[in-house]
Amino acid sequence: MGWAAFIMGASILVSRFMGLIRDKTISYFFGASNQSDLYFAAFVIPDFINYLLAGAYFSITLIPLLADYFDHNEQDGWHFFSTVFTWIGLIISVLTGVAMILAPQLAHIAAPGLQEEDLTRLAWFLRIILPAQICFLLGSCLSAVLYLRKQFTVPALTPLIYNLSIIAGGVLLHGWGIVGFCWGVLAGALLGNLLLPYLAVRWGGGLRLRFSLYHPGLKRFIVLALPLMLGQSIVVLDEQLVRVFGSLAGVGAISWLSYARRIMLVPVGVVAQAAGVASFPFLADLFSKKNFTQFHKTLNEALKSVLTLLIPVSLWMMVVARPTITLIFQQGHFGWQDTEQTALLLQILLAAVFCWGFQQVLGRGFYACQDTLTPAILGTIVMLISLPVYYVLTQHYQAVGVALASAISVALYTAALFLWWLYRFGGESFAGLGEIVVKVAIVSVVACGPATFLATLRIPHWHNHPYLEALYTIAASGLMFSIIFLALAGYFLPALIRPFLRKLGPLGTRFIR
């Protein structure tokens, strides 16, 4: 599980880095303007359709079922897979076609705060991006087979190809304006998310795909997937809510929020998402074998590891939020005013990073138990509660209010998942977590003191070199924070920190000594 998490974590890290390059390219050419707002708003409807069909959770839903069928009869397993694949292809194709026809009307829903002429362009962007959802959903089915085979490399490559295609489309078609990035989205989805997994499944163990409309297991799949389809969790709709309410917060707000959210999700993806994806097949296997003691122990270890990494990283990132935005985005049409706004929003969003990580892993625990209903119901309830929170805070605090509402919503959802798991399964999976959170938080806050001093220290004559100053600030404060944190954690939290240090090789071993 550790190696699988390492592969996925490395992939997500590179993917997030490429995502930052993509957003850097957009911010360079268009800054935080109505054009960049249009681009980010163009994903609201396509992403909602993806979430409506539980596209982000297809692998989670399919893996336990595929495991059962393939264990008993491989031919029957391929029959089941073909039936699911056929129905998903038909449904997403019909929904995509209808959405393309209704694009002008859907544009008003995606960004109600935009002007009429901008909404016309938004409808055009929607029609370009919408077909990518066909590739995403069918590719998710194929990736489920790869995860089942414990083949993580190709799924790890798909987001890299996707982001690279978007960057290439925007640069090569720059003369067309920001629409070039939209064409890059479609190309990246086709190449990275559909074609690559298809070839990997076919060449990595065989693919027996045929047109099929019925299999007895289809009903079982629908029962598991339906809660994810109908229950729109706050964590999957958070990005869309940020964009919708961001359109009501003035020009540039959608872009500021999108840039800040992208950086906030880097530690979430590298640490929590990787741990969740890697641990899920193992958790599902343990649950199917009714090895509940090891199941709770594995979940507990995953939660401890995620919190041990996310709490210090997110606190340090809050310290260096401004130089980070300066280094990554402040160039071209993205000015210092945009940097100040985006850095403030980033700090607010980072405050809830540990909640993102906790729910990512705990949610996989529910899915491993083949319980997709509970997270869907809790997520939908929290989403309904959050809508007025978004509206009120947006009206009073504009973009800052949107960021606050996002952080509050994720925290509420995490608390709901935690309390329900505690009620249903007891506290075995959370043994020692409270003490660890408190100790890691204290050590992190202490380490942030000197790091904050270095981050606020201004070097004479460097005001004409903002990127060099930002790079120095991040490096110096990061080094100071790391040394103090590792020293204190190694002394007060040796059982937690030493496994991570050992993975650093000789350097980590020497630090332990």
Side-chain angles (χ1 to χ4, degrees):
M1 187 173 73
W3 279 112
F6 175 78
I7 293 173
M8 296 308 299
S11 162
I12 294 170
L13 176 61
V14 177
S15 175
R16 299 297 187 194
F17 181 72
M18 292 183 64
L20 292 178
I21 295 176
R22 175 196 63 207
D23 289 350
K24 167 70 173 180
T25 307
I26 295 171
S27 68
Y28 179 84
F29 288 126
F30 302 101
S33 61
N34 66 329
Q35 291 298 303
S36 58
D37 285 353
L38 284 173
Y39 172 78
F40 291 119
F43 288 88
V44 172
I45 300 301
D47 285 351
F48 179 78
I49 293 176
N50 186 289
Y51 299 145
L52 185 64
L53 293 180
Y57 296 95
F58 259 20
S59 295
I60 291 174
T61 309
L62 271 178
I63 287 173
L65 300 180
L66 288 174
D68 285 345
Y69 285 113
F70 276 101
D71 283 344
H72 291 90
N73 187 322
E74 183 176 353
Q75 184 176 355
D76 188 48
W78 284 118
H79 181 199
F80 167 71
F81 176 79
S82 297
T83 304
V84 173
F85 192 88
T86 300
W87 275 108
I88 292 303
L90 292 174
I91 294 172
I92 187 57
S93 297
V94 171
L95 282 178
T96 299
V98 172
M100 292 177 72
I101 295 172
L102 299 178
Q105 291 77 20
L106 294 174
H108 287 80
I109 299 175
L114 297 183
Q115 299 298 320
E116 192 63 37
E117 58 187 45
D118 292 330
L119 291 172
T120 302
R121 290 205 70 197
L122 178 57
W124 168 233
F125 291 175
L126 280 172
R127 285 173 171 151
I128 298 173
I129 293 176
L130 276 165
Q133 302 310 310
I134 300 175
C135 304
F136 289 142
L137 288 167
L138 295 181
S140 294
C141 294
L142 295 167
S143 293
V145 178
L146 295 173
Y147 286 133
L148 181 65
R149 294 172 176 172
K150 304 296 192 297
Q151 297 173 357
F152 293 93
T153 303
V154 168
L157 290 175
T158 56
L160 310 183
I161 296 175
Y162 174 68
N163 281 317
L164 184 61
S165 298
I166 298 175
I167 296 169
V171 174
L172 297 177
L173 303 178
H174 174 58
W176 295 9
I178 205 164
V179 72
F181 289 96
C182 297
W183 286 111
V185 169
L186 183 57
L190 178 62
L191 296 174
N193 292 82
L194 181 58
L195 182 60
L196 183 61
Y198 170 78
L199 295 175
V201 173
R202 187 173 180 180
W203 296 341
L207 173 63
R208 301 176 189 175
L209 186 63
R210 59 189 176 90
F211 184 84
S212 174
L213 292 176
Y214 177 75
H215 183 278
L218 182 62
K219 180 179 178 181
R220 187 180 173 193
F221 171 75
I222 294 174
V223 169
L224 286 176
L226 194 61
L228 298 176
M229 296 177 181
L230 300 180
Q232 295 301 308
S233 172
I234 188 64
V235 293
V236 297
L237 288 180
D238 174 74
E239 186 173 11
Q240 316 318 316
L241 293 175
V242 164
R243 289 167 177 170
V244 170
F245 286 96
S247 70
L248 301 174
V251 176
I254 299 178
S255 300
W256 295 329
L257 288 161
S258 297
Y259 295 141
R261 194 175 184 277
R262 190 79 64 193
I263 293 181
M264 178 271 292
L265 287 177
V266 170
V268 174
V270 173
V271 178
Q273 185 179 342
V277 171
S279 63
F280 177 69
F282 298 91
L283 290 172
D285 184 56
L286 290 170
F287 185 83
S288 67
K289 294 176 180 177
K290 302 187 184 304
N291 189 348
F292 300 121
T293 300
Q294 190 62 33
F295 174 88
H296 289 295
K297 182 180 178 181
T298 302
L299 182 59
N300 180 265
E301 290 174 353
L303 289 170
K304 284 181 179 179
S305 298
V306 165
L307 293 176
T308 301
L309 289 174
L310 279 185
I311 291 175
V313 168
S314 59
L315 286 174
W316 171 71
M317 287 181 67
M318 293 174 72
V319 172
V320 295
R322 189 183 182 283
T324 299
I325 301 299
T326 299
L327 184 64
I328 296 175
F329 294 117
Q330 187 175 309
Q331 197 174 7
H333 288 81
F334 195 94
W336 67 268
Q337 299 96 332
D338 299 317
T339 296
E340 295 293 337
Q341 288 286 346
T342 307
L344 175 60
L345 300 177
L346 174 59
Q347 289 175 324
I348 296 172
L349 294 175
L350 283 169
V353 158
F354 77 98
C355 294
W356 279 94
F358 192 89
Q359 63 83 21
Q360 283 267 359
V361 176
L362 187 57
R364 263 38 177 226
F366 280 101
Y367 301 141
C369 300
Q370 298 189 19
D371 178 9
T372 57
L373 185 61
T374 297
I377 292 176
L378 294 178
T380 301
I381 292 173
V382 172
M383 184 197 67
L384 294 176
I385 294 173
S386 300
L387 288 176
V389 176
Y390 268 97
Y391 181 78
V392 172
L393 291 179
T394 302
Q395 292 296 311
H396 285 82
Y397 304 107
Q398 286 74 50
V400 171
V402 178
L404 284 170
S406 174
I408 292 171
S409 301
V410 173
L412 287 175
Y413 178 62
T414 304
L417 280 182
F418 170 78
L419 292 174
W420 189 262
W421 184 280
L422 201 62
Y423 167 77
R424 182 175 172 185
F425 299 105
E428 189 176 352
S429 295
F430 307 132
L433 277 184
E435 181 182 357
I436 287 170
V437 168
V438 172
K439 289 183 177 180
V440 170
I442 292 174
V443 170
S444 301
V445 170
V446 172
C448 276
T452 302
F453 173 76
L454 286 179
T456 56
L457 188 64
R458 291 291 174 263
I459 301 176
H461 312 300
W462 275 35
H463 60 276
N464 292 325
H465 305 280
Y467 308 118
L468 186 61
E469 183 181 27
L471 181 61
Y472 168 79
T473 300
I474 294 171
S477 65
L479 181 61
M480 177 65 72
F481 178 86
S482 299
I483 292 173
I484 296 176
F485 176 81
L486 289 175
L488 292 176
Y491 185 79
F492 293 104
L493 304 167
L496 280 179
I497 206 67
R498 285 182 179 178
F500 295 105
L501 290 173
R502 289 191 182 99
K503 292 186 182 296
L504 296 178
L507 180 62
T509 304
R510 182 172 298 178
F511 195 94
I512 292 175
R513 292 172 181 170

